Amino acid sequence: MSENGGLERIESPVTARGYFLCGFAAFGGILFGYDSGYINGVLGMDYFKREFGHPTTLDNSGYNIKTWEKSLITSILSAGTFCGALAGGSVADWIGRRLSIMIACAIFSAGVVLQVASTTVEMLVCGRVLAGFGVGLVSAIVIMYMSEIAPKAIRGAIVSGYQWAITIGLLLASCVNQGTHEYDNSGSYRIPIAIQWLWAIILGVGLFFLPESPRWFVKKGRHEEARYALSRIRGQPSDSDYIKDELAEIQANYEFEANISKATWFDCFKGLGRSGNFRRVLIGVFLQMFQQWTGINFIFYYGTTFFQTSGISNAFLISLITNLVNVLTTPLSFWMIERFGRRSILIGGAALMLVCEFIIAAVGTALPGSSTASTILIVFVCIYIFGFATTWGPAAWVVIGEIFPLPIRAKGVALSTASNWLWNFVIGYITPYMVDPGEGNLQAKVFFVWGSTCTLSLLFAYFFVPETKGLSLEQVDQMMAESTARTSAKWKPHETYGQRMRRETGAAAAQVTDKHDATGEKGSL
């Protein structure tokens, strides 16, 4: 690091062009959101029920999808994404973050083709598995890529943009479903499925113009390429002192961590102490698990059919409104996550959501089928979505992109994202058995379940999630080693990794000199 380098010079200033490069990768969230959301409306379409379902007296259309088929069609996407997320760690370390996302877009596109062409449940399921694998790759690698290239001052806001893109994808799916659900032909469901191919093209082509992560180049020992990539991202000349100092800090951090542990999958499960990798993996895995157990995907996967069975007219319109609330309130998190921090909004958001869920459950159980219960359901679901969209939605993704050291970052983010998709699959699969009229038929009482799991989410955030606001990724690494979750907000940076390595190298050299002098004195006696 240059002579004037220090804590204030570990990150270069960023131009408007640099911010755009950092933010574009968030577009990957649209694939996630749209592919997750279109199935919500498609399952409620009369033509789809006739095409893929069976005669029944339980539905006004005279046809319905069997509960086990509905579970499989919805949840199988998450099985594919689980595998894709796990694979993402190794693929991103092998060929780089940027190229991995582009390949994932191609895989996703192949899955879309199968879904559009499907006329049977079996073929639709195969297409969703393949598309899911692509989405899993994207979801794991985009978060890591954005975290590695975004400036620390707005890294939370930039990564929150990924969650906003997810909500936009959900809203777009709801809008398309609203426009096609009355078609009395296969276009009613094929159009919503086919449109998602457009998002893959935009992301895949756009990444041709983005640089690779400089931290991946450092990990591969390609320092000149890292300097050039960092220069493009920050919008600074490659020979700028800022670029030299930031790159020197990234290199020093990687060398320090590489001396402590390697980058194998086994190393992810070493150490439960403050600086242990396994501690960080557990935080990431459980954080993503509890994000799913807030119950949010119950609304976005099964909201339309749940509103229909709850006696609410215009279920498609209500579903569209919930998606609109999601999109319009998520940008508030861009400010909140940098103003109040990750840990604080996770705790506050869980508190707001659990209150809403218990109110819905209590009123719906006490006054089933009443207009009061229907009004309470709609109003408090919207408030609950606001709580999720501004807190747990973005913050869970932000934190997992920040807490892992560079040697295992790709694998740590992959494990955390895989946890998200594993529990997404579990919840997507069991929910129809909990709420369908021919099965559990819990109706509003299902919100007692989500309220209870949201309470556990609050406790987890309070006791285990550290505050990472305003720190570079290298400083987050130091903070994790030197503080606990409850004291992390008070931690302040006190030295760079470059300074630390020089200090430790100097101390080691002094020990060698002292030992040599002592040996010389003994020999002269």
Side-chain angles (χ1 to χ4, degrees), residues 460-514:
F460 173 78
Y462 178 77
F463 286 107
F464 297 107
V465 178
E467 183 53 73
T468 57
K469 181 186 76 166
L471 303 176
S472 72
L473 295 182
E474 288 68 39
Q475 289 170 342
V476 170
D477 203 33
Q478 279 184 287
M479 178 274 294
M480 293 284 289
E482 297 174 4
S483 68
T484 64
R486 284 179 285 177
T487 62
S488 58
K490 298 178 182 178
W491 186 89
K492 301 295 181 186
H494 49 85
E495 66 177 348
T496 68
Y497 268 96
Q499 293 167 344
R500 180 176 181 177
M501 290 189 72
R502 285 197 297 273
R503 173 172 55 80
E504 293 181 357
T505 301
Q511 287 180 349
V512 171
T513 301
D514 291 343

Short mmCIF file of all heavy atoms in Angstrom, two decimals, residues 460-514:
data_model
loop_
_atom_site.label_atom_id
_atom_site.label_comp_id
_atom_site.label_asym_id
_atom_site.label_seq_id
_atom_site.Cartn_x
_atom_site.Cartn_y
_atom_site.Cartn_z
N PHE A 460 -33.24 -15.60 16.29
CA PHE A 460 -32.00 -15.92 15.60
C PHE A 460 -31.24 -14.66 15.23
O PHE A 460 -30.02 -14.55 15.44
CB PHE A 460 -32.29 -16.74 14.34
CG PHE A 460 -31.07 -16.97 13.49
CD1 PHE A 460 -30.13 -17.93 13.85
CD2 PHE A 460 -30.83 -16.20 12.36
CE1 PHE A 460 -29.00 -18.13 13.09
CE2 PHE A 460 -29.70 -16.40 11.59
CZ PHE A 460 -28.78 -17.36 11.96
N ALA A 461 -31.95 -13.66 14.67
CA ALA A 461 -31.30 -12.41 14.28
C ALA A 461 -30.68 -11.72 15.48
O ALA A 461 -29.56 -11.18 15.40
CB ALA A 461 -32.30 -11.49 13.59
N TYR A 462 -31.37 -11.73 16.62
CA TYR A 462 -30.87 -11.03 17.80
C TYR A 462 -29.60 -11.68 18.36
O TYR A 462 -28.64 -11.00 18.71
CB TYR A 462 -31.94 -10.99 18.90
CG TYR A 462 -31.46 -10.33 20.17
CD1 TYR A 462 -31.37 -8.94 20.25
CD2 TYR A 462 -31.07 -11.10 21.26
CE1 TYR A 462 -30.90 -8.32 21.40
CE2 TYR A 462 -30.59 -10.49 22.42
CZ TYR A 462 -30.52 -9.11 22.48
OH TYR A 462 -30.04 -8.50 23.62
N PHE A 463 -29.57 -12.98 18.41
CA PHE A 463 -28.46 -13.67 19.07
C PHE A 463 -27.28 -14.00 18.15
O PHE A 463 -26.16 -14.18 18.63
CB PHE A 463 -28.95 -14.97 19.72
CG PHE A 463 -29.76 -14.73 20.98
CD1 PHE A 463 -31.13 -14.92 20.98
CD2 PHE A 463 -29.14 -14.31 22.15
CE1 PHE A 463 -31.88 -14.70 22.13
CE2 PHE A 463 -29.88 -14.08 23.30
CZ PHE A 463 -31.25 -14.28 23.30
N PHE A 464 -27.51 -14.06 16.83
CA PHE A 464 -26.45 -14.61 15.98
C PHE A 464 -26.02 -13.74 14.79
O PHE A 464 -24.93 -13.96 14.25
CB PHE A 464 -26.88 -15.98 15.45
CG PHE A 464 -27.08 -17.00 16.52
CD1 PHE A 464 -28.36 -17.40 16.88
CD2 PHE A 464 -26.00 -17.55 17.19
CE1 PHE A 464 -28.56 -18.34 17.90
CE2 PHE A 464 -26.18 -18.48 18.20
CZ PHE A 464 -27.47 -18.88 18.56
N VAL A 465 -26.83 -12.80 14.35
CA VAL A 465 -26.49 -12.06 13.13
C VAL A 465 -25.68 -10.81 13.48
O VAL A 465 -26.15 -9.96 14.25
CB VAL A 465 -27.73 -11.66 12.34
CG1 VAL A 465 -27.35 -10.84 11.10
CG2 VAL A 465 -28.50 -12.91 11.92
N PRO A 466 -24.47 -10.65 12.93
CA PRO A 466 -23.64 -9.47 13.22
C PRO A 466 -24.03 -8.28 12.36
O PRO A 466 -24.70 -8.43 11.35
CB PRO A 466 -22.22 -9.96 12.87
CG PRO A 466 -22.45 -10.92 11.75
CD PRO A 466 -23.76 -11.61 12.06
N GLU A 467 -23.57 -7.09 12.78
CA GLU A 467 -23.79 -5.87 12.00
C GLU A 467 -22.59 -5.64 11.07
O GLU A 467 -21.45 -5.60 11.53
CB GLU A 467 -23.97 -4.66 12.92
CG GLU A 467 -24.27 -3.38 12.19
CD GLU A 467 -25.46 -3.54 11.25
OE1 GLU A 467 -26.60 -3.63 11.75
OE2 GLU A 467 -25.24 -3.61 10.02
N THR A 468 -22.85 -5.51 9.78
CA THR A 468 -21.78 -5.37 8.79
C THR A 468 -21.83 -4.04 8.05
O THR A 468 -21.06 -3.81 7.12
CB THR A 468 -21.87 -6.52 7.75
OG1 THR A 468 -23.18 -6.49 7.15
CG2 THR A 468 -21.65 -7.87 8.41
N LYS A 469 -22.70 -3.14 8.48
CA LYS A 469 -22.90 -1.85 7.79
C LYS A 469 -21.61 -1.03 7.76
O LYS A 469 -20.90 -0.90 8.75
CB LYS A 469 -23.99 -1.05 8.52
CG LYS A 469 -24.30 0.28 7.89
CD LYS A 469 -25.27 1.09 8.73
CE LYS A 469 -24.57 1.68 9.94
NZ LYS A 469 -25.36 2.73 10.61
N GLY A 470 -21.32 -0.44 6.58
CA GLY A 470 -20.24 0.52 6.45
C GLY A 470 -18.84 -0.04 6.44
O GLY A 470 -17.87 0.71 6.50
N LEU A 471 -18.70 -1.37 6.34
CA LEU A 471 -17.38 -2.00 6.36
C LEU A 471 -17.06 -2.59 4.99
O LEU A 471 -17.95 -3.08 4.29
CB LEU A 471 -17.33 -3.11 7.41
CG LEU A 471 -17.66 -2.72 8.86
CD1 LEU A 471 -17.65 -3.97 9.74
CD2 LEU A 471 -16.68 -1.68 9.39
N SER A 472 -15.79 -2.56 4.62
CA SER A 472 -15.37 -3.29 3.43
C SER A 472 -15.45 -4.78 3.73
O SER A 472 -15.54 -5.19 4.90
CB SER A 472 -13.94 -2.91 3.03
OG SER A 472 -13.01 -3.46 3.96
N LEU A 473 -15.43 -5.62 2.70
CA LEU A 473 -15.50 -7.07 2.93
C LEU A 473 -14.32 -7.53 3.78
O LEU A 473 -14.45 -8.46 4.59
CB LEU A 473 -15.52 -7.82 1.60
CG LEU A 473 -16.76 -7.60 0.72
CD1 LEU A 473 -16.67 -8.44 -0.55
CD2 LEU A 473 -18.04 -7.91 1.47
N GLU A 474 -13.16 -6.90 3.60
CA GLU A 474 -11.99 -7.26 4.39
C GLU A 474 -12.16 -6.83 5.84
O GLU A 474 -11.74 -7.54 6.76
CB GLU A 474 -10.74 -6.61 3.78
CG GLU A 474 -10.29 -7.22 2.46
CD GLU A 474 -11.26 -6.95 1.31
OE1 GLU A 474 -11.80 -5.82 1.24
OE2 GLU A 474 -11.49 -7.86 0.48
N GLN A 475 -12.81 -5.70 6.08
CA GLN A 475 -13.08 -5.25 7.45
C GLN A 475 -14.14 -6.11 8.12
O GLN A 475 -14.08 -6.36 9.33
CB GLN A 475 -13.50 -3.77 7.44
CG GLN A 475 -12.37 -2.82 7.12
CD GLN A 475 -12.84 -1.40 6.86
OE1 GLN A 475 -14.03 -1.16 6.61
NE2 GLN A 475 -11.92 -0.45 6.91
N VAL A 476 -15.13 -6.57 7.35
CA VAL A 476 -16.12 -7.50 7.88
C VAL A 476 -15.42 -8.75 8.41
O VAL A 476 -15.76 -9.28 9.47
CB VAL A 476 -17.17 -7.88 6.82
CG1 VAL A 476 -18.05 -9.04 7.31
CG2 VAL A 476 -18.04 -6.68 6.47
N ASP A 477 -14.43 -9.20 7.66
CA ASP A 477 -13.66 -10.38 8.06
C ASP A 477 -12.99 -10.15 9.42
O ASP A 477 -13.03 -11.01 10.31
CB ASP A 477 -12.61 -10.67 6.99
CG ASP A 477 -12.15 -12.11 7.01
OD1 ASP A 477 -12.97 -12.98 7.34
OD2 ASP A 477 -10.97 -12.36 6.70
N GLN A 478 -12.40 -8.97 9.61
CA GLN A 478 -11.78 -8.63 10.89
C GLN A 478 -12.82 -8.55 12.00
O GLN A 478 -12.60 -9.07 13.10
CB GLN A 478 -11.06 -7.28 10.78
CG GLN A 478 -9.69 -7.33 10.15
CD GLN A 478 -9.03 -5.96 10.19
OE1 GLN A 478 -9.41 -5.05 9.47
NE2 GLN A 478 -8.05 -5.82 11.06
N MET A 479 -13.93 -7.88 11.72
CA MET A 479 -14.98 -7.71 12.71
C MET A 479 -15.51 -9.04 13.19
O MET A 479 -15.72 -9.26 14.40
CB MET A 479 -16.11 -6.86 12.13
CG MET A 479 -17.31 -6.65 13.05
SD MET A 479 -18.53 -7.98 12.94
CE MET A 479 -19.12 -7.79 11.27
N MET A 480 -15.73 -9.98 12.26
CA MET A 480 -16.25 -11.30 12.63
C MET A 480 -15.30 -12.02 13.57
O MET A 480 -15.72 -12.80 14.45
CB MET A 480 -16.47 -12.14 11.37
CG MET A 480 -17.57 -11.65 10.45
SD MET A 480 -19.22 -12.04 11.04
CE MET A 480 -19.28 -13.81 10.81
N ALA A 481 -14.00 -11.79 13.41
CA ALA A 481 -13.00 -12.47 14.24
C ALA A 481 -12.83 -11.81 15.61
O ALA A 481 -12.32 -12.43 16.54
CB ALA A 481 -11.65 -12.50 13.52
N GLU A 482 -13.29 -10.55 15.75
CA GLU A 482 -12.99 -9.80 16.96
C GLU A 482 -14.21 -9.41 17.78
O GLU A 482 -14.07 -8.76 18.82
CB GLU A 482 -12.21 -8.52 16.59
CG GLU A 482 -10.86 -8.80 15.94
CD GLU A 482 -10.16 -7.54 15.45
OE1 GLU A 482 -10.70 -6.44 15.69
OE2 GLU A 482 -9.08 -7.66 14.85
N SER A 483 -15.42 -9.78 17.36
CA SER A 483 -16.61 -9.38 18.11
C SER A 483 -17.68 -10.46 18.05
O SER A 483 -17.57 -11.42 17.29
CB SER A 483 -17.17 -8.06 17.55
OG SER A 483 -17.69 -8.26 16.25
N THR A 484 -18.72 -10.27 18.84
CA THR A 484 -19.89 -11.16 18.80
C THR A 484 -21.02 -10.44 18.06
O THR A 484 -20.91 -9.25 17.73
CB THR A 484 -20.36 -11.50 20.23
OG1 THR A 484 -20.82 -10.28 20.86
CG2 THR A 484 -19.23 -12.10 21.06
N ALA A 485 -22.11 -11.16 17.84
CA ALA A 485 -23.23 -10.55 17.13
C ALA A 485 -23.74 -9.31 17.86
O ALA A 485 -24.01 -8.27 17.25
CB ALA A 485 -24.36 -11.57 16.95
N ARG A 486 -23.88 -9.41 19.19
CA ARG A 486 -24.47 -8.30 19.94
C ARG A 486 -23.51 -7.14 20.17
O ARG A 486 -23.95 -6.03 20.51
CB ARG A 486 -25.01 -8.82 21.28
CG ARG A 486 -26.33 -9.58 21.12
CD ARG A 486 -26.85 -10.12 22.44
NE ARG A 486 -26.08 -11.29 22.87
CZ ARG A 486 -26.27 -11.92 24.03
NH1 ARG A 486 -27.19 -11.48 24.87
NH2 ARG A 486 -25.56 -12.99 24.33
N THR A 487 -22.21 -7.35 19.98
CA THR A 487 -21.25 -6.24 20.14
C THR A 487 -20.72 -5.75 18.79
O THR A 487 -19.96 -4.79 18.74
CB THR A 487 -20.05 -6.69 21.01
OG1 THR A 487 -19.37 -7.78 20.36
CG2 THR A 487 -20.52 -7.12 22.39
N SER A 488 -21.15 -6.38 17.71
CA SER A 488 -20.58 -6.08 16.39
C SER A 488 -20.84 -4.65 15.93
O SER A 488 -20.03 -4.06 15.23
CB SER A 488 -21.10 -7.07 15.36
OG SER A 488 -22.53 -7.03 15.31
N ALA A 489 -21.99 -4.07 16.30
CA ALA A 489 -22.33 -2.72 15.84
C ALA A 489 -21.36 -1.67 16.39
O ALA A 489 -21.20 -0.59 15.81
CB ALA A 489 -23.76 -2.37 16.25
N LYS A 490 -20.70 -1.98 17.52
CA LYS A 490 -19.76 -1.03 18.14
C LYS A 490 -18.34 -1.18 17.62
O LYS A 490 -17.48 -0.36 17.92
CB LYS A 490 -19.77 -1.23 19.66
CG LYS A 490 -21.12 -0.97 20.31
CD LYS A 490 -21.07 -1.24 21.80
CE LYS A 490 -22.43 -1.03 22.45
NZ LYS A 490 -22.39 -1.34 23.91
N TRP A 491 -18.09 -2.24 16.83
CA TRP A 491 -16.72 -2.49 16.35
C TRP A 491 -16.31 -1.45 15.32
O TRP A 491 -17.09 -1.08 14.45
CB TRP A 491 -16.65 -3.89 15.74
CG TRP A 491 -15.26 -4.31 15.34
CD1 TRP A 491 -14.33 -4.95 16.10
CD2 TRP A 491 -14.64 -4.11 14.05
NE1 TRP A 491 -13.18 -5.18 15.39
CE2 TRP A 491 -13.33 -4.66 14.13
CE3 TRP A 491 -15.05 -3.52 12.86
CZ2 TRP A 491 -12.45 -4.65 13.05
CZ3 TRP A 491 -14.16 -3.49 11.79
CH2 TRP A 491 -12.88 -4.05 11.89
N LYS A 492 -15.08 -0.96 15.43
CA LYS A 492 -14.54 0.02 14.49
C LYS A 492 -13.25 -0.51 13.87
O LYS A 492 -12.43 -1.13 14.56
CB LYS A 492 -14.25 1.35 15.19
CG LYS A 492 -15.47 2.00 15.87
CD LYS A 492 -16.52 2.40 14.85
CE LYS A 492 -17.71 3.08 15.54
NZ LYS A 492 -18.81 3.35 14.58
N PRO A 493 -13.02 -0.25 12.58
CA PRO A 493 -11.76 -0.67 11.96
C PRO A 493 -10.57 0.03 12.63
O PRO A 493 -10.65 1.22 12.95
CB PRO A 493 -11.91 -0.21 10.50
CG PRO A 493 -13.37 0.02 10.31
CD PRO A 493 -13.92 0.42 11.63
N HIS A 494 -9.48 -0.70 12.86
CA HIS A 494 -8.33 -0.12 13.54
C HIS A 494 -7.03 -0.33 12.78
O HIS A 494 -6.02 0.32 13.09
CB HIS A 494 -8.20 -0.66 14.97
CG HIS A 494 -8.29 -2.15 15.05
ND1 HIS A 494 -7.21 -2.98 14.86
CD2 HIS A 494 -9.36 -2.96 15.27
CE1 HIS A 494 -7.60 -4.25 14.98
NE2 HIS A 494 -8.90 -4.26 15.23
N GLU A 495 -7.01 -1.22 11.80
CA GLU A 495 -5.84 -1.38 10.95
C GLU A 495 -6.25 -2.13 9.67
O GLU A 495 -7.24 -2.85 9.66
CB GLU A 495 -4.71 -2.14 11.66
CG GLU A 495 -5.03 -3.60 12.00
CD GLU A 495 -3.85 -4.32 12.65
OE1 GLU A 495 -2.73 -3.79 12.63
OE2 GLU A 495 -4.08 -5.43 13.17
N THR A 496 -5.46 -1.94 8.63
CA THR A 496 -5.72 -2.65 7.38
C THR A 496 -5.03 -4.01 7.43
O THR A 496 -4.17 -4.26 8.29
CB THR A 496 -5.18 -1.88 6.17
OG1 THR A 496 -3.74 -1.86 6.23
CG2 THR A 496 -5.71 -0.46 6.15
N TYR A 497 -5.39 -4.88 6.51
CA TYR A 497 -4.72 -6.18 6.44
C TYR A 497 -3.25 -6.02 6.05
O TYR A 497 -2.39 -6.77 6.49
CB TYR A 497 -5.44 -7.13 5.47
CG TYR A 497 -6.46 -7.98 6.17
CD1 TYR A 497 -7.80 -7.61 6.19
CD2 TYR A 497 -6.09 -9.14 6.84
CE1 TYR A 497 -8.74 -8.37 6.85
CE2 TYR A 497 -7.03 -9.91 7.51
CZ TYR A 497 -8.35 -9.52 7.51
OH TYR A 497 -9.28 -10.28 8.17
N GLY A 498 -2.99 -5.02 5.20
CA GLY A 498 -1.61 -4.77 4.83
C GLY A 498 -0.78 -4.38 6.04
O GLY A 498 0.34 -4.88 6.24
N GLN A 499 -1.32 -3.50 6.90
CA GLN A 499 -0.62 -3.10 8.12
C GLN A 499 -0.47 -4.29 9.07
O GLN A 499 0.58 -4.45 9.70
CB GLN A 499 -1.39 -1.96 8.80
CG GLN A 499 -1.39 -0.67 8.02
CD GLN A 499 -2.41 0.32 8.54
OE1 GLN A 499 -3.32 -0.04 9.30
NE2 GLN A 499 -2.27 1.59 8.12
N ARG A 500 -1.50 -5.09 9.15
CA ARG A 500 -1.45 -6.24 10.05
C ARG A 500 -0.39 -7.24 9.63
O ARG A 500 0.36 -7.75 10.45
CB ARG A 500 -2.83 -6.92 10.09
CG ARG A 500 -2.92 -8.13 11.00
CD ARG A 500 -4.34 -8.66 11.04
NE ARG A 500 -4.47 -9.80 11.91
CZ ARG A 500 -5.62 -10.42 12.18
NH1 ARG A 500 -6.73 -9.98 11.62
NH2 ARG A 500 -5.65 -11.45 12.98
N MET A 501 -0.31 -7.50 8.32
CA MET A 501 0.68 -8.46 7.84
C MET A 501 2.10 -7.92 8.01
O MET A 501 3.01 -8.67 8.37
CB MET A 501 0.41 -8.81 6.38
CG MET A 501 -0.85 -9.64 6.17
SD MET A 501 -1.02 -10.28 4.50
CE MET A 501 0.27 -11.53 4.48
N ARG A 502 2.26 -6.60 7.81
CA ARG A 502 3.60 -6.03 8.02
C ARG A 502 3.98 -6.10 9.49
O ARG A 502 5.14 -6.38 9.83
CB ARG A 502 3.63 -4.58 7.53
CG ARG A 502 3.68 -4.44 6.01
CD ARG A 502 4.11 -3.05 5.58
NE ARG A 502 3.15 -2.04 6.01
CZ ARG A 502 2.09 -1.69 5.30
NH1 ARG A 502 1.82 -2.30 4.15
NH2 ARG A 502 1.28 -0.74 5.73
N ARG A 503 2.99 -5.84 10.37
CA ARG A 503 3.27 -5.91 11.81
C ARG A 503 3.65 -7.32 12.23
O ARG A 503 4.62 -7.53 12.97
CB ARG A 503 2.04 -5.43 12.59
CG ARG A 503 2.14 -5.62 14.09
CD ARG A 503 0.98 -4.95 14.82
NE ARG A 503 -0.31 -5.38 14.34
CZ ARG A 503 -0.90 -6.53 14.71
NH1 ARG A 503 -0.26 -7.39 15.50
NH2 ARG A 503 -2.10 -6.84 14.26
N GLU A 504 2.87 -8.32 11.75
CA GLU A 504 3.14 -9.69 12.14
C GLU A 504 4.43 -10.21 11.52
O GLU A 504 5.18 -10.97 12.14
CB GLU A 504 1.96 -10.59 11.76
CG GLU A 504 0.70 -10.27 12.56
CD GLU A 504 -0.46 -11.17 12.21
OE1 GLU A 504 -0.31 -12.01 11.28
OE2 GLU A 504 -1.53 -11.04 12.86
N THR A 505 4.70 -9.77 10.28
CA THR A 505 5.96 -10.16 9.63
C THR A 505 7.14 -9.55 10.36
O THR A 505 8.17 -10.20 10.59
CB THR A 505 5.97 -9.70 8.16
OG1 THR A 505 4.87 -10.30 7.49
CG2 THR A 505 7.26 -10.11 7.47
N GLY A 506 6.98 -8.27 10.79
CA GLY A 506 8.05 -7.61 11.53
C GLY A 506 8.30 -8.27 12.87
O GLY A 506 9.44 -8.44 13.29
N ALA A 507 7.19 -8.67 13.55
CA ALA A 507 7.33 -9.33 14.85
C ALA A 507 8.02 -10.67 14.70
O ALA A 507 8.87 -11.05 15.51
CB ALA A 507 5.95 -9.51 15.49
N ALA A 508 7.66 -11.41 13.64
CA ALA A 508 8.30 -12.71 13.39
C ALA A 508 9.78 -12.54 13.09
O ALA A 508 10.64 -13.30 13.56
CB ALA A 508 7.60 -13.43 12.24
N ALA A 509 10.12 -11.49 12.30
CA ALA A 509 11.52 -11.24 11.97
C ALA A 509 12.31 -10.86 13.21
O ALA A 509 13.46 -11.26 13.39
CB ALA A 509 11.61 -10.13 10.93
N ALA A 510 11.68 -10.07 14.11
CA ALA A 510 12.35 -9.68 15.35
C ALA A 510 12.65 -10.88 16.23
O ALA A 510 13.71 -10.99 16.85
CB ALA A 510 11.49 -8.66 16.10
N GLN A 511 11.69 -11.84 16.26
CA GLN A 511 11.90 -13.05 17.04
C GLN A 511 13.08 -13.85 16.51
O GLN A 511 13.89 -14.38 17.27
CB GLN A 511 10.63 -13.91 17.04
CG GLN A 511 9.51 -13.34 17.89
CD GLN A 511 8.27 -14.23 17.85
OE1 GLN A 511 8.19 -15.15 17.05
NE2 GLN A 511 7.32 -13.95 18.73
N VAL A 512 13.17 -13.93 15.18
CA VAL A 512 14.29 -14.66 14.57
C VAL A 512 15.61 -13.99 14.90
O VAL A 512 16.61 -14.63 15.24
CB VAL A 512 14.09 -14.76 13.04
CG1 VAL A 512 15.35 -15.30 12.37
CG2 VAL A 512 12.89 -15.62 12.71
N THR A 513 15.63 -12.63 14.84
CA THR A 513 16.84 -11.88 15.14
C THR A 513 17.26 -12.06 16.60
O THR A 513 18.44 -12.29 16.91
CB THR A 513 16.62 -10.38 14.86
OG1 THR A 513 16.25 -10.21 13.51
CG2 THR A 513 17.88 -9.57 15.16
N ASP A 514 16.27 -11.98 17.51
CA ASP A 514 16.57 -12.16 18.93
C ASP A 514 17.13 -13.54 19.20
O ASP A 514 18.07 -13.72 19.98
CB ASP A 514 15.31 -11.95 19.77
CG ASP A 514 14.86 -10.49 19.76
OD1 ASP A 514 15.68 -9.63 19.39
OD2 ASP A 514 13.70 -10.23 20.12
#
